[in-house]
Amino acid sequence: MEDIILIVDDVEMNRAILSEIFKDHFVILEAADGQEALALTAAHQADIAAVLLDLHMPNMDGLQYLQHIRAQGLLKDVPILIITADNNEALKLSTFDFGITDIIEKPFNAVFLHKRVEAQIELYRSTKSLKYINMRQEAELRRRAEEFADLNVKVISALAVAIEFRSGETGVHVRHIRDLTKLLLRRLRTRDVLNCGALSDEDIEEISYAAILHDIGKISIPDSILNKPGRLTADEFTVMKTHSQRGADLIDSIGIADNKILNYARDICLHHHERVDGKGYPEGLRNGEISVWSKVVGIADAYDALTQDRCYKQAFSKEKALAMILNGECGAFEPILLDAFLDIVSKLELQPQSCSALSAACRA
Amino acid sequence: MQLEDLGTKLDIDITGALARFSGVKPLYVKYLKRFAVDPTFTAYEAAVSAQDPKGLEESAHALKGICGNLGLTSLYQAYSRQVALVRAGDSAAAFSEADAVIHAARQCRQLLAELA
């Protein structure tokens, strides 16, 4: 409990007068100079409600005492009132540089002094209490914002899996994309290419999670096209291609604000079918116009689509899929990206419909 | 001599000073009597003898505070002027007025020493 008033004055009578004023409501500690005050401050700082400080004292004066307590970070939230007979305006003003609360001139009116000191103590206590309440409220708001952002991502992830179910798949594709994205980004970071050298583990985690959402725009594609057991017509393919823009729109509609995962996800949804030669969709972007995460998800998506059974085709072998990608049958990828992708896939014993090898590699 | 008798013999604000001592008359009287033997006064006299402006300023400043709190109005004003003169760089004026201040203070201390 902060119930101590520290009275610092070299004149015993001044201390006695002040002590008499406050002794009924506070515990009084007295110091005859700054040094004594400093020792008492260090020993009782948690319980000091206010300091009444004279300026002119032997050994260590009031200003030096203030310098010491500020340097040591003591009494940050405690009112310090200068009680002085000094008329030196510059000296008195300089005490405000040390965060003092008020200056009371001697000889003072005891009743007014009492009221002013008690009012300052009350004000500081209220401020401290408000600061504490604010701090707790801010922490609670942060927690809720994180919870909400997390919920957003979870809901959309569930949607991504639901879309796969809708097209007769099992949800394994999105997990493959997540794991391939993580492995490929780590490899690109190790090689310090495509601006990946600066990616943190957290960045890679977030991008990999965002990759799950790459096809959520397919929610808007009719069953007749999404589940067509055969080649799509040109018109049907035009409809199918809208899933990129629809995915970005869907994420926009829930509001991405500062959520990094959703920001990555929006870009990936929109651009994972772009290719470096400008022949991808929807915007026909080229090379550096496409983010590295969209390129990474693009190649992972192409590979996984080839190696999994789909309603319109059977799974290709790993070797066949890689050959098709290298031949440009899934569009153009940068050699540097292809090389890193070949490197990670060649080390995986990936079985169709299984993600155990990928998951194990990601955990490694 | 009783506290109430001082008012007729000294320029003293008993009411204001008593209020400052939270109305505790014995406490007020205790420090009035102590002023009669306060060593700061000796320090002030020594600074005057030595023509030491720094010593004069420091002791006069301390006495100013004490007299202010005790309600010794004239002495408070006299010591305030001493401090102001030294700080204004006019120590000569301060020293030339010091004898009168010492005389007034001695008379005051003599009376305070007679307090019951």
Side-chain angles (χ1 to χ4, degrees):
Chain A
M1 178 62 192
E2 300 154 351
D3 56 0
I4 291 176
I5 288 188
L6 174 59
I7 297 171
V8 192
D9 198 311
D10 58 327
V11 177
E12 185 202 328
M13 176 188 68
N14 293 340
R15 299 198 300 272
I17 291 173
L18 292 169
S19 176
E20 198 61 38
I21 294 170
F22 295 103
K23 72 177 174 83
D24 291 341
H25 298 101
F26 294 91
V27 174
I28 305 296
L29 289 180
E30 293 185 21
D33 59 38
Q35 273 178 359
E36 283 183 20
L38 201 56
L40 288 172
T41 302
H44 301 280
Q45 64 157 325
D47 299 319
I48 293 176
V51 178
L52 309 182
L53 180 67
D54 185 23
L55 286 178
H56 293 279
M57 293 179 288
N59 302 321
M60 182 189 289
D61 65 24
L63 266 186
Q64 289 170 318
Y65 167 77
L66 289 171
Q67 283 168 345
H68 274 88
I69 61 163
R70 292 311 178 214
Q72 294 174 34
L74 299 170
L75 304 181
K76 279 183 196 157
D77 296 316
V78 172
I80 298 175
L81 293 98
I82 302 292
I83 299 185
T84 182
D86 203 309
N87 295 326
N88 185 334
E89 300 296 326
L91 174 69
K92 287 193 282 189
L93 267 178
S94 70
T95 60
F96 283 101
D97 294 339
F98 296 100
I100 66 114
T101 307
D102 202 357
I103 294 178
I104 293 171
E105 291 177 356
K106 294 177 193 167
F108 48 76
N109 178 306
V111 177
F112 288 169
L113 174 78
H114 189 193
K115 295 287 180 201
R116 283 166 77 177
V117 172
E118 284 210 328
Q120 287 299 339
I121 290 172
E122 205 47 51
L123 183 65
Y124 272 70
R125 281 178 178 162
S126 303
T127 307
K128 204 188 287 184
S129 165
L130 273 177
K131 272 188 195 167
Y132 180 67
I133 290 169
N134 279 346
M135 198 177 71
R136 286 189 57 176
Q137 284 178 340
E138 278 171 18
E140 178 62 13
L141 282 175
R142 263 199 309 278
R143 190 188 66 74
R144 286 190 186 183
E146 281 165 15
E147 206 175 85
F148 185 66
D150 191 43
L151 187 66
N152 265 349
V153 175
K154 281 180 177 160
V155 166
I156 297 173
S157 301
L159 183 62
V161 175
I163 292 159
E164 274 204 33
F165 286 167
R166 195 175 145 227
S167 52
E169 294 163 32
T170 59
V172 77
H173 174 62
V174 291
R175 291 201 294 278
H176 276 180
I177 297 301
R178 180 193 63 196
D179 293 345
L180 282 168
T181 299
K182 191 182 293 184
L183 285 174
L184 186 49
L185 283 171
R186 282 182 190 165
R187 186 56 46 90
L188 294 171
R189 179 174 65 180
T190 305
R191 295 184 176 186
D192 195 12
V193 292
L194 296 175
N195 296 321
C196 289
L199 288 178
S200 65
D201 285 345
E202 191 185 347
D203 293 332
I204 292 178
E205 277 298 320
E206 287 170 346
I207 294 168
S208 306
Y209 202 1
I212 291 174
L213 311 180
H214 69 287
D215 268 345
I216 56 165
K218 284 186 176 172
I219 192 80
S220 66
I221 306 300
D223 279 346
S224 59
I225 295 175
L226 192 65
N227 294 326
K228 183 177 177 182
R231 184 174 284 275
L232 298 178
T233 65
D235 286 347
E236 287 168 338
F237 191 53
T238 301
V239 173
M240 180 60 105
K241 286 199 291 187
T242 62
H243 82 275
S244 300
Q245 185 63 56
R246 294 294 177 85
D249 294 345
L250 179 63
I251 291 176
D252 280 339
S253 71
I254 61 166
I256 51 180
D258 291 332
N259 186 300
K260 283 171 75 182
I261 293 178
L262 292 182
N263 271 285
Y264 287 130
R266 185 193 183 282
D267 186 67
I268 290 169
C269 280
L270 190 58
H271 296 133
H272 70 284
H273 284 291
E274 300 285 2
R275 294 295 182 259
V276 289
D277 57 3
K279 293 182 179 171
Y281 64 87
E283 297 172 357
L285 301 181
R286 289 171 175 272
N287 295 318
E289 294 173 334
I290 311 166
S291 64
V292 68
W293 36 88
S294 292
K295 290 174 182 173
V296 165
V297 173
I299 197 168
D301 185 35
Y303 174 78
D304 202 63
L306 292 171
T307 52
Q308 305 296 313
D309 284 333
R310 291 286 163 93
C311 58
Y312 51 88
K313 70 161 193 56
Q314 286 197 320
F316 294 110
S317 68
K318 178 168 99 176
E319 292 73 21
K320 173 69 176 167
L322 286 175
M324 290 170 76
I325 288 172
L326 287 171
N327 289 339
E329 291 176 49
C330 299
F333 296 101
E334 281 155 307
I336 220 167
L337 184 68
L338 281 171
D339 190 57
F341 190 68
L342 282 175
D343 188 29
I344 62 158
V345 172
S346 64
K347 290 175 178 142
L348 287 174
E349 290 301 322
L350 199 61
Q351 299 301 315
Q353 305 297 332
S354 163
C355 59
S356 57
L358 261 177
S359 297
C362 281
R363 283 195 298 272
Chain B
M1 187 169 56
Q2 299 301 310
L3 177 64
E4 294 71 22
D5 302 327
L6 272 181
T8 57
K9 301 173 193 261
L10 269 177
D11 183 11
I12 183 169
D13 174 17
I14 294 174
T15 310
L18 248 180
R20 203 156 22 254
F21 281 86
S22 303
V24 184
K25 189 173 157 187
L27 191 67
Y28 179 39
V29 171
K30 172 185 165 183
Y31 284 101
L32 277 173
K33 287 164 82 174
R34 186 169 290 184
F35 181 65
V37 292
D38 195 306
T40 319
F41 186 72
T42 315
Y44 173 76
E45 284 187 321
V48 173
S49 297
Q51 297 285 293
D52 167 16
K54 183 75 185 156
L56 182 92
E57 181 197 342
E58 284 174 359
S59 55
H61 175 79
L63 289 165
K64 168 188 159 187
I66 294 168
C67 291
N69 277 337
L70 290 173
L72 299 168
T73 312
S74 299
L75 273 181
Y76 167 73
Q77 287 163 353
Y79 287 123
S80 296
R81 182 170 162 75
Q82 289 278 286
V83 174
L85 284 171
V86 177
R87 288 188 179 166
D90 196 357
S91 301
F95 286 121
S96 74
E97 293 177 13
D99 283 344
V101 178
I102 289 171
H103 179 70
R106 280 183 180 163
Q107 278 190 326
C108 173
R109 281 155 62 94
Q110 228 165 5
L111 283 168
L112 294 177
E114 293 169 18
L115 263 179

